[in-house]
Amino acid sequence: MQVCSRFVREKGLFLEQTPNDPRTNLEQSDTFLEEKRLRKAILLQSLPPLHKFGHLQTPLDMALADSKTAFIFALPMTANGIGKQIITLNLTVMGTYEQGILGAFSGLVGPVVGANFRGKNVMRGRPKKTKKLATENQLAQRGKFTAVTAFLTPANSILSSYFANQTGAKSRYNLATSYHLQEAVEWDGVEATILFDKALFSKGSLLAPQNLAATAVAGSQLQLDWVNNSYGNAMATDQLQVVVYEPIGGFYEFFLNVATRADVTASITLPPYMAGAQVQCWGFMVSANSKLKSTSQYLGAITVV
């Protein structure tokens, strides 16, 4: 086997190989398997047949042709292939080219960082490490961002479906994050707090249900009542969606298509772990074809009984 350290360029990838990585040629290896992020145990018998990639001569090159992460290879220990050993190659993605050397790229390439900023492909210098203490504004922004991402990430599926409309390179989740950073979090100098009454899980032009309210009912249930205001773009067939959040544990429960706008009442049963807890609730309507949604309404803090 060979021991080497180099930069490899194949398939538009720039990767750095760590020193003392084991290497072998195509003729010496008979099977290989990508292990997703190299965090799971690999059984030898699960390794698939080796694919031959033409001019690619080494397992490392073959890895580059198939993935951007890291790989495990099974190599014969003897000439007749009896017995095998597992060799792991750890590869670090530095940057990816999508359209060749003159195209846009993302990630780190040497001292340059490629990124997409507000729909435009940009390059910037690699940020320098600093020993300076963060300013109060920097601490506040970091604290707010940490709180907002912790609050929104578990609700990504809802936000990605119902929060406004994607604009340029900004996803709905990005738009939701921007809104909450500006409007729904506060910093007291020590920690950041989410303002539940300003939090939104949907944002749109559909008419919201009138007088929507939630009340706790024995048996860990929530009673929901509203007025049928079917006019304009609001239809009797619009579906009510409910979001329930337990802030101590950071748990969400999503109740989709609970009832139609014309039903004017509905009840939902919360899971046992929410019994006795104070939960935060929101509700909103979505059209039957899912193309329109109303802006979510905060229904208050409710103690489950």
Side-chain angles (χ1 to χ4, degrees):
M1 294 186 181
Q2 300 176 349
V3 177
C4 63
S5 178
R6 67 165 182 156
F7 282 89
V8 184
R9 295 173 176 83
E10 273 296 348
K11 298 290 288 185
L13 298 177
F14 285 70
L15 299 99
E16 183 176 5
Q17 185 184 7
T18 57
N20 300 322
D21 278 342
R23 300 294 303 278
T24 184
N25 59 37
L26 183 61
E27 290 72 30
Q28 288 176 299
S29 61
D30 63 344
T31 58
F32 81 92
L33 175 72
E34 174 184 359
E35 179 196 20
K36 188 177 181 181
R37 302 188 184 282
L38 289 180
R39 294 294 185 266
K40 299 179 181 178
I42 298 298
L43 298 178
L44 186 59
Q45 59 267 30
S46 67
L47 296 173
L50 175 66
H51 298 283
K52 296 181 180 179
F53 291 99
H55 68 283
L56 303 179
Q57 297 299 310
T58 69
L60 180 58
D61 291 331
M62 287 185 289
L64 293 174
D66 196 53
S67 177
K68 302 176 184 178
T69 56
F71 292 77
I72 282 182
F73 297 86
L75 307 179
M77 295 177 65
T78 63
N80 61 6
I82 299 175
K84 296 179 184 296
Q85 61 178 324
I86 297 297
I87 290 181
T88 300
L89 299 182
N90 292 297
L91 306 175
T92 303
V93 175
M94 297 186 67
T96 59
Y97 276 93
E98 301 296 339
Q99 299 174 343
I101 193 170
L102 298 180
F105 70 97
S106 65
L108 179 64
V109 178
V112 180
V113 179
N116 188 286
F117 180 70
R118 294 181 179 176
K120 296 182 179 180
N121 296 309
V122 298
M123 289 190 298
R124 55 176 177 261
R126 183 177 184 176
K128 296 181 180 180
K129 294 182 179 179
T130 179
K131 294 183 179 179
K132 293 182 180 179
L133 295 177
T135 65
E136 181 60 31
N137 286 339
Q138 288 174 329
L139 290 174
Q141 189 63 20
R142 293 172 188 173
K144 288 180 179 180
F145 186 80
T146 299
V148 166
T149 53
F151 178 63
L152 296 182
T153 297
N156 189 11
S157 59
I158 291 292
L159 296 169
S160 296
S161 298
Y162 301 122
F163 196 94
N165 294 313
Q166 183 169 337
T167 304
K170 274 198 169 186
S171 67
R172 287 172 169 171
Y173 180 82
N174 294 148
L175 294 172
T177 300
S178 297
Y179 165 80
H180 285 81
L181 283 172
Q182 295 174 19
E183 305 292 341
V185 63
E186 63 180 8
W187 174 258
D188 63 4
V190 178
E191 62 180 359
T193 303
I194 298 296
L195 305 176
F196 296 124
D197 60 330
K198 294 185 178 180
L200 296 178
F201 291 90
S202 67
K203 192 174 183 182
S205 59
L206 182 64
L207 187 64
Q210 186 175 341
N211 298 336
L212 177 62
T215 307
V217 178
S220 297
Q221 292 190 332
L222 290 183
Q223 178 70 35
L224 299 155
D225 299 287
W226 62 95
V227 174
N228 181 8
N229 56 341
S230 300
Y231 58 86
N233 67 353
M235 302 295 172
T237 55
D238 294 340
Q239 297 280 338
L240 177 67
Q241 324 293 317
V242 179
V243 177
V244 181
Y245 177 67
E246 195 279 291
I248 302 301
F251 300 119
Y252 279 93
E253 293 293 335
F254 304 108
F255 299 87
L256 306 181
N257 302 331
V258 173
T260 66
R261 191 186 295 265
D263 290 333
V264 304
T265 187
S267 64
I268 57 177
T269 301
L270 301 178
Y273 76 85
M274 286 187 172
Q278 186 180 76
V279 297
Q280 307 291 330
C281 301
W282 296 262
F284 59 96
M285 287 286 181
V286 175
S287 62
N289 61 8
S290 298
K291 291 185 177 181
L292 297 176
K293 61 272 182 184
S294 68
T295 298
S296 61
Q297 297 171 264
Y298 178 59
L299 305 181
I302 301 172
T303 301
V304 182
V305 296

